[in-house]
């Protein structure tokens, strides 16, 4: 039951969103010594990590990986390979390079990503990732997989 002293509003409000994020972050760092220890360190913020495969002859984008590192983790957000280049090892090369940068240059110890059943869960397993979560019907008719890998 919601107390009658409050009204519930549903509009998108960026200022309130930012305030909520700040308050949640403060509560989390108060509750977690690990998150508190990250405050003020380089690991406190996401650091973008992008790897591109560009065709030498025409500068066309053949493949790309977009992710970020945070708190000793690499998070792969997007990995795409043009259909003409799939099966050539290009995707594996992008992933290896991102993992190398994350591990050697940024001190990451693990990597994580999400993929759908029709995308590439088997590809990631071949690269050493293990399924840690399966969400059926997200979105309806599709299964989402969360995978992780220990680096170096």
């Amino acid at each position: 039951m919601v107390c009658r002293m409050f009204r519930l509003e549903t509009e998108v409000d960026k200022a309130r969103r930012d305030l909520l994020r700040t308050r949640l972050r403060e509560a989390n760092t108060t509750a977690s010594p690990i998150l508190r220890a990250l405050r003020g360190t380089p690991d406190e913020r996401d650091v973008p990590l992008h790897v591109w495969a560009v065709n030498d002859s025409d500068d066309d984008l053949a493949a790309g990986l977009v992710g970020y590192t945070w708190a000793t983790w690499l998070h792969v957000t997007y990995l795409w390979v043009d259909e003409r280049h799939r099966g050539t090892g290009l995707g594996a090369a992008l992933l290896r390079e991102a993992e190398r940068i994350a591990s050697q240059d940024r001190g990451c110890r693990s990597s994580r990503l999400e993929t759908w059943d029709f995308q590439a869960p088997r590809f990631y397993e071949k690269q050493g990732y293990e399924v840690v979560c399966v969400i059926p019907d997200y979105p309806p008719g599709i299964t989402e997989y969360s995978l992780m890998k220990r680096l170096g």
Side-chain angles (χ1 to χ4, degrees), residues 122-138:
R122 303 308 156 245
F123 163 79
Y124 291 114
E125 288 177 320
K126 288 177 186 174
Q127 309 312 310
Y129 284 75
E130 75 176 86
V131 174
V132 294
C133 179
V134 177
I135 305 173
D137 234 21
Y138 182 74

Side-chain angles (χ1 to χ4, degrees), residues 107-125:
C108 291
R109 296 189 301 259
S110 302
S111 178
R112 63 170 291 196
L113 56 89
E114 294 81 31
T115 191
W116 286 319
D117 56 3
F118 65 88
Q119 289 178 320
R122 303 308 156 245
F123 163 79
Y124 291 114
E125 288 177 320

